[in-house]
Amino acid sequence: MPTFFTNRSGGVSTGVYSSLNLGEHVGDDLHCVKSNRELLSYEFGPVQFMSQVHGDCVVVVDDALAQPPTCDALVTTNPNLSLAVMVADCIPLLLTSAQVVAAVHVGRRGLVNEITLKTIEVMNNLGATSIHATLGASICGSCYEVSLELCSQVSAIKPAARSTTRAGAPALNISAGLIADLKFAGLTYESSTICTFESVDYFSYRRGSITGRFAGVVKL
């Protein structure tokens, strides 16, 4: 810690959710999900999850909440609280500084609506300096095939995200687009090279639409 990424192993869920599914909204047995989340709490103390909606809302939390806030980024200055972001192809982005940390859900819509830059602004307003970004495993630019129209729409806003599949079809590289934003904001960063679509060690919505969620966890 301060950053940690789960994969799909080490939990109690079964079938397509095997085994460390952390998502309550994907059809898994909620008792299993609760047990899986408790494994994180044993390791990191209270863990705050969020109800992610591919929006641009950033929520600052001081203590663990009874209900997960509806947002796509969590920020805290509390060293006793861990923050979690769940994904299954999107980027689990963890932002760290000596004063403030954040967990951010960055998919195609999150990239376009600049959820990351908005989170960085909130962190700066709370006194963050020297923010470092850690990108967990996500679908790569060779596997995230989209329509030509969608590729053009996104790359018109985020040119670095334009990509093609190995067969030459239009695609999006969300990591490249995000890294361009991080560089623009002056952040240092490190990025996983694992593609969730290609690696069976991770949940992937593109590989199997009924699936679990893994997580990035950050703590001050």
Side-chain angles (χ1 to χ4, degrees):
M1 216 51 177
T3 62
F4 179 79
F5 296 96
T6 68
N7 54 28
R8 66 179 300 163
S9 64
V12 300
S13 294
T14 60
V16 294
Y17 307 107
S18 175
S19 62
L20 189 60
N21 168 46
L22 298 168
E24 294 181 328
H25 62 295
V26 295
D28 192 9
D29 185 308
L30 292 180
H31 294 291
C32 292
V33 179
K34 180 181 179 182
S35 296
N36 290 339
R37 289 188 174 190
E38 285 175 348
L39 293 174
L40 291 185
S41 297
Y42 295 150
E43 186 75 21
F44 306 121
V47 180
Q48 181 64 61
F49 287 84
M50 51 185 154
S51 178
Q52 300 165 194
V53 292
H54 295 276
D56 66 349
C57 181
V58 182
V59 172
V60 179
V61 287
D62 298 319
D63 295 294
L65 304 174
Q67 294 295 324
T70 299
C71 61
D72 285 273
L74 291 171
V75 178
T76 193
T77 58
N78 182 352
N80 298 312
L81 180 65
S82 297
L83 308 177
V85 50
M86 295 182 295
V87 291
D89 283 331
C90 292
I91 302 169
L93 173 64
L94 305 179
L95 301 174
T96 56
S97 71
Q99 304 84 5
V100 192
V101 296
V104 191
H105 171 225
V106 188
R108 168 179 54 82
R109 282 179 280 180
L111 179 67
V112 170
N113 66 34
E114 300 192 331
I115 182 70
T116 300
L117 298 179
K118 292 170 183 175
T119 304
I120 293 169
E121 181 179 7
V122 171
M123 293 178 70
N124 286 333
N125 290 339
L126 290 171
T129 58
S130 301
I131 300 173
H132 181 73
T134 306
L135 290 69
S138 64
I139 192 168
C140 74
S142 297
C143 292
Y144 187 15
E145 181 177 348
V146 297
S147 67
L148 178 59
E149 179 183 13
L150 185 55
C151 180
S152 298
Q153 288 174 351
V154 173
S155 58
I157 302 170
K158 300 292 181 182
R162 180 180 286 274
S163 186
T164 57
T165 66
R166 294 176 183 87
L172 291 172
N173 189 329
I174 303 302
S175 292
L178 173 56
I179 288 170
D181 279 351
L182 296 173
K183 289 180 177 178
F184 172 79
L187 271 63
T188 57
Y189 70 91
E190 56 190 294
S191 180
S192 172
T193 58
I194 297 171
C195 172
T196 48
F197 183 82
E198 295 174 342
S199 175
V200 294
D201 293 332
Y202 292 83
F203 296 110
S204 169
Y205 183 81
R206 274 284 177 120
R207 192 175 62 239
S209 58
I210 301 176
T211 190
R213 298 293 185 271
F214 69 97
V217 184
V218 64
K219 188 174 185 180
L220 192 61

